[in-house]
Amino acid sequence: MADLNVNGKTHQVDVDPNTPLLWVLRDTIGLTGTKYGCGIAQCGACTVHVDGIAMRSCSVPLSAVAGRQITTIEGLAQNGALHKVQKAWLDHDVPQCGYCQCGMNITNICRCGTFQQVRAAIHAAAASA
Ligand code: FES
Ligand code: FES
């Protein structure tokens, strides 16, 4: 059993400690906003924050993050209010297929090539700080 703190809530998970965090989040806890893309820490679709640092959850074992603060895309909005980055993303029509967006709000590669919109949205979010 390991204690996993995700988006401010502690989950007790009975999973092999070598299991990548991505699969614990998706298959054990049911938070499917974090996506599988490449599985080799390159694309960023699986990115989450661990103690405020962006990490590729496909390549981080459960044993490395037990007891640390994990934030997924589901944890960005607070009390029903979108994070300013999420709001800027909507205002600038960044998402196309949407698959990369969970990681894109943290760090990522977008196969739809929305980088111009991403740039505009980042500037807007920074200006609203
Ligand atoms: S799935 Fe591509 S970096 Fe993790
Ligand atoms: S990969 Fe489709 S929106 Fe980024």
Side-chain angles (χ1 to χ4, degrees), residues 8-56:
K9 186 174 170 191
T10 300
H11 302 262
Q12 284 205 322
V13 294
D14 187 8
V15 178
D16 184 315
N18 292 320
T19 306
L21 173 61
L22 171 63
W23 302 119
V24 181
L25 292 171
R26 290 182 58 84
D27 294 347
T28 306
I29 297 177
L31 293 173
T32 56
T34 305
K35 306 299 187 196
Y36 172 79
C38 64
I40 55 171
Q42 295 297 306
C43 73
C46 68
T47 306
V48 299
H49 277 169
V50 178
D51 291 339
I53 306 293
M55 296 183 79
R56 308 301 202 212

Side-chain angles (χ1 to χ4, degrees), residues 24-97:
V24 181
L25 292 171
R26 290 182 58 84
D27 294 347
T28 306
I29 297 177
L31 293 173
T32 56
T34 305
K35 306 299 187 196
Y36 172 79
C38 64
I40 55 171
Q42 295 297 306
C43 73
C46 68
T47 306
V48 299
H49 277 169
V50 178
D51 291 339
I53 306 293
M55 296 183 79
R56 308 301 202 212
S57 66
C58 69
S59 302
V60 176
L62 171 63
S63 58
V65 294
R68 298 170 70 182
Q69 304 290 319
I70 298 161
T71 304
T72 69
I73 190 70
E74 291 92 343
L76 290 187
Q78 295 292 318
N79 302 318
L82 292 179
H83 187 281
K84 65 182 179 182
V85 173
Q86 293 174 303
K87 185 171 183 327
W89 248 233
L90 290 176
D91 290 345
H92 291 269
D93 293 327
V94 175
Q96 298 300 307
C97 77

